Amino acid sequence: MMNRLLSISAFLKRIAETLGRLSAWLIVVLIMVIITDVTLRHWFVIGSTKLQELEWHLHGALFLLALGWAYSRDAHVRIELASERFAPRTKAWVELFGCLVFLLPYVAAVIWFGIDYVGYSLEYNEASPSATGLPDRWIIKAAIPIGFLTLGFAAIARMLEAIVFLFGPDALHGQTHFAGRYAADKTPEETV
């Protein structure tokens, strides 16, 4: 049973990390768009609303689609001042509680309302309010539920690892996110 939880966790984490790595390439596209926009404005005195909006859209997509990857890599904001002093089991309990009570309900709400947000945008063929702006606003809005879905995958993966760490056999502790902390915090008597 616990091995199955670890394999599900690894699968979900792989999905979040794959989308995060792929979306990271948007930074290259964003840089090229910014360079083009600055060059046109500075040397040719040509402004483009489409390029400016594309910059905002790429930045938003980059952030949203990398959420799950950032969470799975601990690149998100935490209150380390308190949590770094916790024992590994306490860290696992905090992670489990935080995912169940705070993160997953928030992710579910954003996905639920985000899908409606995209649907309305698609139904009404929403475009930029600027006459020379980008059409099809639903495309960038779709990054909201997709990004939060991958964050949800990463949160479920971490939660499953916490369950294995807290309730599984000691032999499986090393395969969880908490393994490094667990081994470092053991006393010499516990490692024998």
Side-chain angles (χ1 to χ4, degrees), residues 101-119:
V101 175
F102 298 112
L103 184 56
L104 288 176
Y106 178 71
V107 164
V110 171
I111 292 170
W112 179 264
F113 291 108
I115 290 171
D116 281 345
Y117 192 54
V118 174

Side-chain angles (χ1 to χ4, degrees), residues 21-98:
R21 284 191 178 112
L22 290 174
S23 68
W25 284 99
L26 289 176
I27 194 80
V28 176
V29 179
L30 178 59
I31 290 169
M32 298 307 291
V33 169
I34 290 171
I35 289 171
T36 303
D37 188 29
V38 168
T39 302
L40 288 174
R41 285 180 183 281
H42 185 70
W43 282 294
F44 300 102
V45 194
I46 299 172
S48 171
T49 305
K50 283 187 169 118
L51 282 177
Q52 284 187 328
E53 288 185 3
L54 187 58
E55 290 172 28
W56 304 335
H57 289 199
L58 288 170
H59 186 267
L62 176 64
F63 171 78
L64 288 164
L65 299 175
L67 281 173
W69 186 29
Y71 184 75
S72 67
R73 296 288 182 170
D74 276 339
H76 58 292
V77 176
R78 284 188 180 263
I79 304 171
E80 295 293 335
L81 183 63
S83 67
E84 69 183 8
R85 296 185 180 136
F86 291 162
R89 291 189 63 78
T90 305
K91 289 178 185 179
W93 276 112
V94 168
E95 194 80 37
L96 181 60
F97 179 78

Side-chain angles (χ1 to χ4, degrees), residues 4 14 55 64 70 81 86 99 117 124 129 132 141 159 163 174 182 192:
R4 181 83 175 130
R14 222 175 6 261
E55 290 172 28
L64 288 164
L81 183 63
F86 291 162
C99 285
Y117 192 54
Y124 294 110
T132 58
K141 289 182 177 185
M159 189 179 70
I163 290 170
Y182 181 74
V192 176

Side-chain angles (χ1 to χ4, degrees), residues 135-151:
D136 301 321
R137 274 268 164 98
W138 67 270
I139 296 172
I140 186 58
K141 289 182 177 185
I144 297 169
I146 293 169
F148 274 83
L149 181 64
T150 60
L151 177 60

